[in-house]
Amino acid sequence: MMLKPSIDKLLDKVPSKYSLVILQAKRAHELEAGAEATQDFKSAKSTLRALEEIESGNVVIHPDPEAKRESVRRKAEEARLAKEEEERKIKAQIAKEKEEGEKI
């Protein structure tokens, strides 16, 4: 059985076998956790899907991992705040409708 994509093509995209393994594992975990895919896949397994994305150039090693982590944290915090704001608006609307219903 031959691995598709081939290791030679993959090593053109990353600096070493070790970096490739780490990148593949992280991306496979992201895919299993429900991350959005960057393309259509031929493979069924998340590990092979990650390799397909690396081969196509859609997934690369970030040049500044700490900045990436901070960006991910910031986006998660913004999403949390937006969700809280939406919930607050809904609660205010419910309270307003309840108050208007009692007046009638």
Side-chain angles (χ1 to χ4, degrees), residues 57-104:
N58 294 335
V59 174
V60 295
I61 295 175
H62 197 280
D64 186 2
E66 190 55 42
K68 181 180 179 183
R69 283 187 209 101
E70 183 58 35
S71 172
V72 168
R73 281 188 219 116
R74 193 174 334 105
K75 286 179 184 178
E77 181 66 15
E78 288 172 0
R80 185 188 64 79
L81 292 173
K83 184 178 178 181
E84 286 177 0
E85 179 65 21
E86 184 65 28
E87 288 175 1
R88 187 192 62 74
K89 287 179 181 180
I90 291 170
K91 287 179 182 179
Q93 182 66 27
I94 290 171
K96 181 181 175 184
E97 289 174 2
K98 192 174 187 180
E99 185 180 296
E100 288 176 359
E102 290 175 357
K103 289 181 182 179
I104 297 177

Side-chain angles (χ1 to χ4, degrees), residues 2-56:
M2 192 165 151
L3 177 67
K4 298 270 184 186
S6 76
I7 190 79
D8 296 327
K9 289 182 181 178
L10 292 168
L11 288 175
D12 290 340
K13 305 288 184 176
V14 293
S16 70
K17 292 178 196 177
Y18 306 106
S19 298
L20 175 62
V21 169
I22 297 299
L23 182 60
Q24 175 199 14
K26 286 184 177 186
R27 183 59 183 158
H29 284 284
E30 289 175 354
L31 290 170
E32 287 180 1
E36 217 173 292
T38 60
Q39 65 187 45
D40 292 330
F41 299 108
K42 297 176 188 170
S43 306
K45 295 182 178 181
S46 59
T47 53
L48 295 175
R49 289 178 173 187
L51 289 176
E52 286 181 34
E53 287 184 330
I54 293 167
E55 181 191 33
S56 66

